[in-house]
Amino acid sequence: DGGITQSPKYLFRKEGQNVTLSCEQNLNHDAMYWYRQDPGQGLRLIYYSQIVNDFQKGDIAEGYSVSREKKESFPLTVTSAQKNPTAFYLCASSIGQENQPQHFGDGTRLSIL
Amino acid sequence: AQSVAQPEDQVNVAEGNPLTVKCTYSVSGNPYLFWYVQYPNRGLQFLLKYITGDNLVKGSYGFEAEFNKSQTSFHLKKPSALVSDSALYFCAVRDELGNFNKFYFGSGTKLNVKP
């Protein structure tokens, strides 16, 4: 079945450590996205990529970095510069047409040790 | 600027009663509107969309939504709620004239259906 796979499901970060969240899709979608979700809040866009080797900052990019070397992969690194990283992180993808919805992975929950 | 508002943080309804979850939007051009549902510790699942045409859109699990251009609204409805409908619901919009690869989400509405 086609879909989006996020791993790991749960992740713990120590102070001063960078961690990388994986996102892989086999839907052949051009666009991919990373969102952060905090309790009681909606989704905030961190980064998005419309094509391979290109990505744009979203609303809360500080302390995060991404790469898009392959169409199917869009990893997110949470750097030590992100002082409040505890959140639920969602990856999504969409075909490059405005009438199509996004497809979401099942998220990674990041906590601080 | 593009935006989506979900004015109710929480909606409570008894099982078997009709439910409505409200959404209003603001875009520059024609809107492409979407509803998603999220269960605990899961990603968002697509329910339905409005692109053009009929103002009443039918989607998954018996949900439907009514597009109202003059009120810039896209309310989610279901004639008879189930306990299993209890979840977090998000409205989203894409702007025809904006960066169509960007989706704008509301803050979410928690639906509680009581037996």
Side-chain angles (χ1 to χ4, degrees):
Chain A
D1 284 340
I4 299 180
T5 302
Q6 289 188 242
S7 62
K9 182 78 173 170
Y10 300 95
L11 188 58
F12 298 91
R13 194 191 89 169
K14 295 179 181 178
E15 293 289 338
Q17 186 181 43
N18 294 353
V19 292
T20 297
L21 285 59
S22 171
C23 178
E24 303 276 332
Q25 56 103 355
N26 61 3
L27 299 166
N28 200 33
H29 285 172
D30 290 311
M32 296 187 75
Y33 310 77
W34 275 105
Y35 293 93
R36 171 177 171 143
Q37 186 177 23
D38 293 283
Q41 295 193 30
L43 276 64
R44 291 187 289 171
L45 182 64
I46 305 173
Y47 269 98
Y48 67 104
S49 168
Q50 299 182 76
I51 55 171
V52 174
N53 293 322
D54 185 52
F55 47 83
Q56 288 81 40
K57 291 182 179 180
D59 302 316
I60 56 164
E62 186 174 351
Y64 300 97
S65 67
V66 294
S67 63
R68 186 88 187 275
E69 297 176 1
K70 299 186 297 182
K71 188 174 186 177
E72 56 270 23
S73 179
F74 191 42
L76 173 74
T77 297
V78 184
T79 75
S80 57
Q82 174 47 247
K83 296 306 178 188
N84 183 23
T86 298
F88 191 51
Y89 290 87
L90 287 164
C91 180
S93 71
S94 72
I95 200 166
Q97 296 173 12
E98 61 272 12
N99 62 350
Q100 296 302 316
Q102 287 178 311
H103 295 252
F104 284 82
D106 271 341
T108 293
R109 189 166 296 281
L110 176 61
S111 302
I112 296 297
L113 282 177
Chain B
Q2 298 87 346
S3 65
V4 176
Q6 293 181 239
E8 301 155 318
D9 290 337
Q10 187 166 299
V11 169
N12 298 311
V13 64
E15 188 175 31
N17 283 1
L19 68 89
T20 298
V21 182
K22 295 180 181 177
C23 171
T24 59
Y25 65 90
S26 174
V27 295
S28 304
N30 288 321
Y32 301 103
L33 293 153
F34 306 86
W35 274 104
Y36 296 85
V37 60
Q38 184 183 33
Y39 296 98
N41 296 312
R42 299 296 301 274
L44 277 64
Q45 296 177 32
F46 168 69
L47 279 179
L48 51 78
K49 67 180 179 183
Y50 172 82
I51 304 302
T52 186
D54 221 350
N55 288 343
L56 186 64
V57 178
K58 294 190 183 296
S60 306
Y61 313 118
F63 283 94
E64 56 191 29
E66 186 170 11
F67 172 67
N68 187 315
K69 188 171 184 177
S70 62
Q71 296 185 3
T72 61
S73 68
F74 188 54
H75 300 332
L76 182 69
K77 300 177 186 244
K78 188 173 183 182
S80 178
L82 299 172
V83 172
S84 57
D85 292 331
S86 298
L88 190 56
Y89 290 81
F90 288 97
C91 181
V93 68
R94 257 174 151 170
D95 186 353
E96 175 196 43
L97 295 183
N99 177 348
F100 70 83
N101 269 318
K102 281 193 79 172
F103 290 75
Y104 298 88
F105 284 85
S107 55
T109 298
K110 186 177 181 183
L111 174 65
N112 295 315
V113 181
K114 298 186 177 179

